[in-house]
Amino acid sequence: MQKVFLYLYPIKEFMKFFQFRNDKLYDELNLPRPLPILNEAIDKRYRKNGYQIIYALYPDRELYGIEKHDDDKIIYTDITFDEASAIDERGNEKKDFIPKYPNEKMLIEQLGDIDELIVGGFHALDCVKRLGETALQCNINTLVDLDLTDLFFTLYKEKDYFEIENYNPQRFKEYMINRKGNKFTQVQESIFNNNYSSPIYGFTSHNRNR
């Protein structure tokens, strides 16, 4: 049984966006730096459990912030980051920009013959979702590890929630709904159900939980 953990687009533009610009703030706030924890989680959740680790990159960008092991693989999109980004090389917003997405089927074909796919990376409700749903349509048993999407950069700080070695969709759901207290539970549940209704997130009977 071929199992794959696919991490979408670990590039500098995305990784840096979710980190403090001033690195010293981590020390001042007594917070661990996120990237070592992200690498450890990928290793302990997936690499050490028999998953092939694969990173998807834009052909005009390099891997950033990731400790690539010798057995890990890199696949590439059919479009460049410049084509996908609403921001130009000077940091200005492009006028009349229409988002262009990588061909998800082409990415999936590069994974080879697989039985199980776990998806992480950028972004949970956009590219990760699109690829996950395409994989599911290709009859691949697919789940998004929401801990290891862009949400990671907030979740890893939550000592009562985040576990390096494990992801449990039900635990994620309970945390997200209850994190603001009982007063907001009903509102949070409505938001959650709206955001994570797709079967690739593992909260419906059409997908399995890990």
Side-chain angles (χ1 to χ4, degrees):
M1 182 177 182
Q2 177 69 9
K3 304 186 295 183
V4 166
F5 173 72
L6 175 64
Y7 195 98
L8 298 182
Y9 320 132
I11 62 175
K12 186 175 182 178
E13 286 82 355
F14 292 157
M15 291 287 200
K16 282 284 191 180
F17 181 82
F18 290 97
Q19 297 180 73
F20 293 142
R21 291 188 177 181
N22 182 356
D23 186 69
K24 293 181 180 178
L25 281 175
Y26 289 105
D27 297 322
E28 294 174 9
L29 297 173
N30 195 29
L31 287 173
R33 288 167 174 77
L35 296 187
I37 296 175
L38 174 61
N39 280 288
E40 185 180 0
I42 291 173
D43 185 57
K44 290 184 175 178
R45 290 186 183 189
Y46 299 111
R47 189 180 288 109
K48 289 185 176 178
N49 284 306
Y51 286 79
Q52 169 72 66
I53 308 300
I54 300 179
Y55 302 104
L57 293 178
Y58 297 98
D60 56 340
R61 291 295 184 272
E62 296 181 355
L63 194 69
Y64 180 87
I66 290 293
E67 298 172 3
K68 182 180 177 296
H69 291 213
D70 291 341
D71 292 335
D72 298 348
K73 295 181 180 179
I74 293 177
I75 61 175
Y76 291 95
T77 64
D78 61 320
I79 62 171
T80 65
F81 179 72
D82 183 62
E83 292 177 287
S85 177
I87 307 299
D88 65 23
E89 293 181 355
R90 297 181 179 180
N92 301 315
E93 290 188 12
K94 297 176 183 176
K95 293 183 179 180
D96 302 320
F97 176 74
I98 298 176
K100 187 174 182 179
Y101 289 92
N103 184 318
E104 291 87 9
K105 284 190 176 180
M106 193 195 85
L107 284 173
I108 291 169
E109 287 172 359
Q110 293 180 67
L111 301 179
D113 187 14
I114 65 173
D115 303 292
E116 180 182 346
L117 177 65
I118 308 293
V119 189
F122 302 92
H123 296 89
L125 299 178
D126 192 13
C127 286
V128 170
K129 178 182 179 183
R130 290 170 62 94
L131 187 135
E133 290 180 335
T134 301
L136 206 60
Q137 291 169 7
C138 294
N139 297 317
I140 299 171
N141 189 16
T142 304
L143 179 71
V144 172
D145 182 336
L146 287 162
D147 280 359
L148 301 187
T149 63
D150 45 305
L151 301 177
F152 164 81
F153 293 91
T154 297
L155 295 174
Y156 90 97
K157 304 171 189 174
E158 304 300 323
K159 296 180 180 179
D160 292 335
Y161 167 74
F162 191 81
E163 297 178 350
I164 291 285
E165 299 186 14
N166 300 295
Y167 172 64
N168 183 302
Q170 189 57 40
R171 190 163 180 267
F172 172 88
K173 180 176 182 178
E174 291 172 359
Y175 169 77
M176 294 296 286
I177 290 175
N178 297 317
R179 61 181 174 160
K180 293 188 177 181
N182 293 335
K183 183 178 180 181
F184 300 98
T185 297
Q186 189 172 353
V187 173
Q188 289 296 108
E189 185 170 7
S190 177
I191 294 172
F192 186 94
N193 290 336
N194 182 62
N195 286 341
Y196 302 110
S197 60
S198 174
I200 50 99
Y201 296 121
F203 304 113
T204 72
S205 59
H206 299 289
N207 206 338
R208 61 94 176 92
N209 290 349
R210 294 180 72 247

